[in-house]
Amino acid sequence: MSFLVVANFKSNLTEAEVKTWLSQVKPMPGMVVAPSFPHLSMIHDLKPMISLAAQDVSSFPPGSYTGAINAVQLKELGVTYCLVGHSERRRYFHETSNDIAGKVRELVSSGITPIICLEESDVVPQFSALEAEYYDKCIYCFEPGIGLGGTVTATIADIEKVKNQIYQFVPEARFMYGGSVTLDNVESLLPLKLTGLLVATASLNPHNFISIIEKVAHVS
Ligand code: PGA
C-alpha cells in the first residue's frame, strides 16, 4: 500500500473552490481526498484516479434515520476510506466510542476502510467498544485534539507513545498521524514509519498538498 496522505477539507470549500483545487492537482499514488459529502461524487466524476475518503458516516444501517448518510451510499459514491471519531466529531457532535464502533461495523460490512482518529485518552475506551474481529480492518490515526490547524506537530515521543498503546491491541497496526502537519515539518515525521498522514489546513492549498506528497513519496 502506498503511504497515504489524506486531505481533510473539514467543512470548508464551495463546489467552485473544490473544482479549482482539483484543476491544480494531478492524481498521485497515496493521494486521498476527504471533502464534504456534497462534493464526493463531483470528485469521483472529475478525477476518478483520486481515492476518496468520507469525513463521517451513519452508525446505523440504511433505514429510517433522517439526515443520516449510510455506508452503502458512500460505497456507491466510490468512497474507499472514511474518517471516524475525529476529535471535532467527538467534541462538537458528542460522539462516543460506542457510536464510533457502530460506524466501524457499518463501514467494514460495506467494504470501506475506517480511519479511526484517536487521542491518547480515547485508545482504551475505543478498543473496549469494538469487537476484536474489527481491529485489523481499521487504520488508526493519532490526532491530538488540541493545537490543530497550527504549525507544530505532537512530539515524536508522544506519537510513539500512542502508537505503542495501539500496538498493544493490534500489533503492527496501520498507524497514521494528523495534526498541524505542514510542508515545513513533514520531514520530521518520516522516521516514525507511519502508514500515512492526515492533513487538513495545509491541504486546502493544492500546491502545498502536492509538495507534501512529493516529500513523502519515497517512504512507501
Ligand atoms: P490540521 O488538522 O492539519 O489543520 O492541524 C488535522 C485534522 O484535524 O484532520
Side-chain angles (χ1 to χ4, degrees), residues 8 10 86-88 143 147-150 178-181 198-202:
N8 177 12
K10 303 193 174 180
H86 192 282
S87 60
E88 290 152 11
E143 189 228 2
L148 298 178
S180 299
V181 176
L198 182 61
V199 186
T201 307

Side-chain angles (χ1 to χ4, degrees), residues 119-199:
E119 298 181 54
E120 189 179 342
S121 58
D122 297 320
V123 173
V124 171
Q126 191 59 73
F127 279 103
S128 305
L130 191 62
E131 297 78 12
E133 68 194 89
Y134 292 97
Y135 288 3
D136 66 357
K137 309 250 181 335
C138 301
I139 298 174
Y140 298 89
C141 182
F142 170 43
E143 189 228 2
I146 49 169
L148 298 178
T151 55
V152 180
T153 68
T155 64
I156 298 288
D158 283 347
I159 300 172
E160 290 276 19
K161 189 170 165 199
V162 174
K163 181 165 96 171
N164 289 332
Q165 286 177 325
I166 290 172
Y167 274 22
Q168 286 178 8
F169 294 92
V170 198
E172 305 301 317
R174 290 176 288 172
F175 178 75
M176 297 175 49
Y177 171 76
S180 299
V181 176
T182 67
L183 190 51
D184 292 330
N185 64 31
V186 65
E187 276 166 322
S188 69
L189 300 168
L190 299 186
L192 283 162
K193 307 234 176 308
L194 300 165
T195 298
L197 294 167
L198 182 61
V199 186

Side-chain angles (χ1 to χ4, degrees), residues 90-110:
R90 294 180 194 260
R91 182 173 312 126
Y92 301 127
F93 300 88
H94 310 293
E95 289 186 5
T96 66
S97 293
N98 281 331
D99 297 329
I100 293 155
K103 293 171 191 241
V104 168
R105 291 183 205 107
E106 288 302 311
L107 290 168
V108 170
S109 68
S110 296

